[in-house]
Amino acid sequence: MNQPFTLPDGFLWGASTAAHQTEGGNTNSDWWGFEHSGLTQIISEPSGDTCDSYHRWREDMDLLAGLGFTDYRFSVEWARIEPAPGEFSRAALDHYRRMVEGARERGLRPMVTLHHFTNPLWFAQRGGWTADGAVELFVRYAEAVVQALGDGVDHLCTINEPNMLAAMASVRNALMSGALGSDAGVVPQAGMLLPDEATTEALIRAHRAVVDAIKAIVPRLSTGWSIASHVCHPLPGAESVAEEFRRPREDVFLEAARTDDWLGVQAYSRHLIGPDGPLPVPDDAERTLTGWEFYPAALGDALRQTAAAIPGVPLIVTENGIATDDDSRRIAYTTEALAGMAEAMADGVDVRGYFHWTALDNYEWGSFAPTFGLIAVDRKTFARTPKQSAAWLGAIGRDRVLSRALPSPLGA
Ligand code: BGC
């Protein structure tokens, strides 16, 4: 992208978070149980209070709006809303209603995710997604959320990364049986394992059923789900291997979105694929704190690959970012990623918004060490400090222009 690129009218410009990763004290969830199950090879620390955003969400939104963002993607926590089967917490629903209203009051359009990796403990204990009646339970929960919040929300994401969620079911099975190594986090390991088939099937049914149910309540809701893009780059001759790798991990989930209002694209890095499958990150490549290859072109590639897979469905980048403790690498990564997005758009890919992962340094599924945040959070005082990347990225929300220009100093 050599020319400045003006964002189309109405383009969403935001940051993403997830309840379990930021709220703190999500004690009634299966993840909380998982964090305390002694699997120290994969959980190096529990989420605890994380960013205490359950209480400090106003501060988070003040910062994001003040930085220039116009949109905020956050998830609501099923374990809080329905602490026991069929028992809905009016207080929790009111809490999230206040968040939706609070976002609007600050000029942030809320995108609400119903499910971001965590289940209520009781749901997991009755067998999780593959147990009888699981889909119906999720629909009942979704209906309660939409009845309470729906009129304040434009965009609703049913399930975050169902492809990773189904693969996490495989990670857990492998961990329990001792069949899995220990040197990578839950999300990176899930990226490699085959999603559990029965979980895949249940999640697809759940998505379709929830879309129908909530559109019957608030017909104007714009609904979709967000898929993790593997961004496969096959070596010459390995094209069919890459296709086989993608089909159960990505394509089946994209196909389930053909009739949706939009599809969420979540891209971080790429997978090189050789004749025998995925290859390790090349020795000379820069790696991020999650061990992934620093590969900002992943976003443009993901958008193009996704548009080709489900033509006609508008795309929204619902996550893109980098785990680094060097904020200048975050700006460099994001500058290139946005250039790739702009180039894809200039070539006709229909992209309607960009949400950066993530607003705050938060709990990265087992550890606080991989810092993806635009805003640093002091782990003892919870004080928030926006990084230079936050000022730079937020300012684009005001200017509505993407260019390769160097970021202005914080506060300028
Ligand atoms: C998830 C986030 C996660 C991020 C970085 C996505 O897979 O939706 O919850 O923190 O990637 O690993």
Side-chain angles (χ1 to χ4, degrees), residues 221-340:
L221 264 183
S222 182
T223 52
W225 67 353
S226 292
I227 307 299
S229 288
H230 289 80
V231 189
C232 292
H233 283 189
L235 299 187
E239 290 79 6
S240 60
V241 181
E243 267 171 44
E244 263 169 56
F245 181 82
R246 264 186 61 143
R247 195 170 306 116
R249 290 177 178 82
E250 200 172 321
D251 294 348
V252 291
F253 296 92
L254 297 180
E255 270 150 31
R258 268 186 202 286
T259 54
D260 283 345
D261 298 317
W262 51 271
L263 179 104
V265 172
Q266 312 207 148
Y268 291 89
S269 187
R270 66 170 171 179
H271 284 95
L272 288 171
I273 309 283
D276 299 321
L279 298 169
V281 174
D283 284 344
D284 57 348
E286 177 180 345
R287 283 168 178 260
T288 70
L289 291 176
T290 40
W292 300 339
E293 182 182 355
F294 178 97
Y295 191 76
L299 181 58
D301 293 354
L303 290 166
R304 287 173 198 271
Q305 288 183 1
T306 307
I310 46 162
V313 180
L315 306 180
I316 299 176
V317 178
T318 40
E319 286 184 26
N320 168 248
I322 172 177
T324 178
D325 48 17
D326 176 351
D327 199 44
S328 68
R329 296 312 286 152
R330 187 179 337 279
I331 292 172
Y333 174 93
T334 311
T335 302
E336 291 304 315
L338 292 174

Side-chain angles (χ1 to χ4, degrees), residues 18 21 73 116-117 160-161 164 187-188 228 266 268 290 292 319 357 362-365 372:
Q21 292 176 271
R73 173 177 178 240
H116 195 124
F117 289 170
N160 177 74
E161 293 189 353
M164 299 301 267
V187 174
Q266 312 207 148
Y268 291 89
T290 40
W292 300 339
E319 286 184 26
W357 184 268
N362 64 32
Y363 186 63
E364 177 55 26
W365 308 110
F372 279 92

Side-chain angles (χ1 to χ4, degrees), residues 6 45 76 90 102 111 120 131 172-173 201 220 247 270 296 347 367 389 408:
T6 303
E45 51 191 329
V76 295
R90 177 46 53 195
M111 175 188 274
R172 285 195 204 193
N173 296 341
E201 189 269 332
R220 59 154 196 83
R247 195 170 306 116
R270 66 170 171 179
D347 288 344
S367 163
S389 53
S408 58

